[in-house]
Amino acid sequence: MVALSPLFFYAFVAIGIVNISYFVYFSIFPFRPQRSIQTNSEEEGISVIVCAQNEINNLRTLIPKLLEQEFSVFEILIVNDHSTDGSLELLREFDQKHHNFKFFNLTEQTGKKAGITATVAMAQYDRLVFTDADCIPASKHWLRAMHSAFTPNAEIVLGYGAYLKLKNSFLNKLIRFETLLTALQYFAYALRKNTYMGVGRNLAYTKTLFNTSGGFEAHKHVKPGDDDLFVNQNATPTNVALCINPEAFTISQPKTTWKSWFIQKRRHVGVAHLYQAKHQVQLTLFYCSQVLFFLFFLGAAFTATAHFYIILCLFVVRELYVWSIYATTAKKLQERDLIPFTLLLEPFLVSLQMLIFISNSLVNPRRWK
């Protein structure tokens, strides 16, 4: 066997400890007891806001699901952002039939942030809940569950936005695993009073917070960030609540090609450099610990070093513990079919994330959504 440099060995051990420590930090979420939907007054009302651009087929599915929500007082506000597919005519039809349905036709400015800003000003109620046109609520109790998570102190409610399960698709499993891992992180950070993001597929906050914080003014120069940047810049240790009851999930249509998913992920990570400095450091260190852990293990395996069996033991311990965190999270978030594949999907995802980071470093993504 090849003699292993002590520096290499100790570096691997240090990286392993750092990475395992992150999952200990995350474990506050999967092992937290599930809470039932709380009851509070529905008379305050809630406004549902959706931005759409050329989403006529998705709107035909989504709007009836929103209208059938079992909640006393709510309104639906749809933003039409320069659609050319007949969406405007469809919205007019719903507007004529339902008293709690309204739409806003964005004519001057363009983009999701402009649409949300204009629609928040129209909203009747202080509590606002957001989803996307390609999503549907998992149940008729979505609004009640999200509304019930608000408290006198909670101004932001983080929900889970799942993706539709597709059979016999490795890409679909990868997309849902990445969503699972992201949710594990942002829910755990929130429970640790260190909230750094939320997802616009299932997010709520108050109109008061939006107005007093200046809305998207601080990051209006970038197209993305209507969800994660807003939460990152406005969350405090005490004003964030979670809503993880399965009835409060939303379900989105996943990408079905590698190219479209890659473009989507480039956009999602393209604004991370605008997060608070502490979150940039924490997230970067976690990702680096993942990458280096796998790279160092491969390096030790291919060189058959004298310390390989010690390294192998640390690798196995780390994998078993991490698998237990993923498995418990998958059960809580109704993603049980991913459990057998998580340890395969993780290094594959880490490799793709590195490729996305390199791509974004070379060319900035420019997309509406």
Side-chain angles (χ1 to χ4, degrees):
M1 286 189 172
V2 179
L4 181 66
S5 165
L7 182 62
F8 183 99
F9 175 73
Y10 291 125
F12 178 79
V13 172
I15 291 165
I17 292 173
V18 169
N19 190 252
I20 292 172
S21 297
Y22 268 97
F23 282 94
V24 172
Y25 186 83
F26 298 157
S27 66
I28 190 175
F29 170 67
F31 296 112
R32 184 182 179 89
Q34 178 71 49
R35 295 181 178 180
S36 60
I37 297 175
Q38 303 298 312
T39 57
N40 56 21
S41 173
E42 298 179 10
E43 298 305 317
E44 296 178 57
I46 194 166
S47 300
V48 184
I49 296 178
V50 179
C51 289
Q53 185 182 78
N54 293 324
E55 298 272 12
I56 186 170
N57 292 328
N58 287 325
L59 290 174
R60 284 195 179 107
T61 302
L62 170 63
I63 295 173
K65 293 289 185 180
L66 296 179
L67 289 167
E68 68 183 13
Q69 289 294 300
E70 294 184 357
F71 194 76
S72 300
V73 183
F74 71 98
E75 64 175 349
I76 301 169
L77 304 174
I78 308 291
V79 184
N80 177 46
D81 185 8
H82 298 82
S83 297
T84 57
D85 63 348
S87 293
L88 184 58
E89 290 72 21
L90 177 69
L91 295 175
R92 284 173 176 156
E93 290 179 14
F94 279 105
D95 185 42
Q96 293 171 0
K97 296 177 181 178
H98 302 278
H99 71 280
N100 63 337
F101 181 92
K102 300 176 184 177
F103 71 93
F104 180 81
N105 195 32
L106 201 60
T107 56
E108 296 181 1
Q109 294 178 296
T110 186
K112 195 171 183 181
K113 289 180 180 177
I116 290 175
T117 301
T119 311
V120 167
M122 295 173 52
Q124 294 184 56
Y125 308 113
D126 189 55
R127 293 174 176 180
L128 315 172
V129 63
F130 300 83
T131 191
D132 288 339
D134 62 350
C135 301
I136 58 170
S139 79
K140 295 181 180 181
H141 304 295
W142 170 61
L143 277 187
R144 177 173 289 120
M146 292 295 285
H147 182 274
S148 72
F150 281 103
T151 67
N153 292 326
E155 300 175 286
I156 299 172
V157 177
L158 307 181
Y160 180 58
Y163 280 102
L164 187 68
K165 296 177 176 66
L166 303 179
K167 294 182 178 180
N168 304 317
S169 171
F170 181 77
L171 173 61
N172 181 255
K173 284 185 171 58
L174 183 68
I175 290 172
R176 291 189 295 114
F177 173 73
E178 190 269 340
T179 303
L180 179 82
L181 175 56
T182 302
L184 169 62
Q185 292 181 78
Y186 73 74
F187 283 141
Y189 271 74
L191 290 172
R192 298 286 186 182
K193 309 299 182 183
N194 187 26
T195 304
Y196 79 92
M197 70 163 286
V199 293
R201 300 189 304 277
N202 199 0
L203 175 67
Y205 49 79
T206 65
K207 183 175 180 177
T208 299
L209 177 64
F210 186 86
N211 290 333
T212 57
S213 67
F216 304 131
E217 188 66 24
H219 45 87
K220 66 179 182 180
H221 59 288
V222 293
K223 289 185 178 181
D226 56 277
D227 47 7
D228 57 344
L229 282 182
F230 181 83
V231 172
N232 187 263
Q233 295 179 2
N234 293 289
T236 71
T238 59
N239 75 344
V240 178
L242 309 186
C243 187
I244 53 172
N245 189 293
E247 290 188 294
F249 294 172
T250 60
I251 303 171
S252 304
Q253 291 290 333
K255 301 297 183 183
T256 56
T257 67
W258 288 93
K259 181 179 179 180
S260 60
W261 178 74
F262 191 80
I263 292 172
Q264 181 187 57
K265 297 317 300 176
R266 286 192 62 205
R267 175 183 61 81
H268 286 172
V269 302
V271 296
H273 66 285
L274 297 175
Y275 287 1
Q276 294 183 48
K278 67 174 182 177
H279 294 136
Q280 292 187 48
V281 172
Q282 291 164 350
L283 295 170
T284 299
L285 183 58
F286 170 63
Y287 174 69
C288 289
S289 72
Q290 279 188 303
V291 172
L292 294 176
F293 184 82
F294 290 118
L295 288 179
F296 272 55
F297 177 74
L298 288 175
F302 281 111
T303 55
T305 63
H307 292 84
F308 175 69
Y309 291 111
I310 299 176
I311 291 176
L312 179 61
C313 286
L314 179 58
F315 181 83
V316 171
V317 168
R318 185 266 181 194
E319 292 292 276
L320 290 175
Y321 180 70
V322 169
W323 180 83
S324 72
I325 300 298
Y326 285 145
T328 311
T329 304
K331 291 177 183 177
K332 178 168 284 192
L333 298 180
Q334 308 292 299
E335 304 285 6
R336 287 178 174 82
D337 64 304
L338 294 178
I339 293 174
F341 305 99
T342 54
L343 296 184
L344 170 65
L345 292 167
E346 184 189 27
F348 195 85
L349 177 64
V350 168
S351 302
L352 287 177
Q353 287 174 329
M354 182 182 295
L355 183 59
I356 290 169
F357 173 78
I358 294 172
S359 299
N360 279 8
S361 299
L362 297 176
V363 181
N364 289 327
R366 298 180 181 275
R367 294 273 170 155
W368 178 82
K369 293 182 64 180

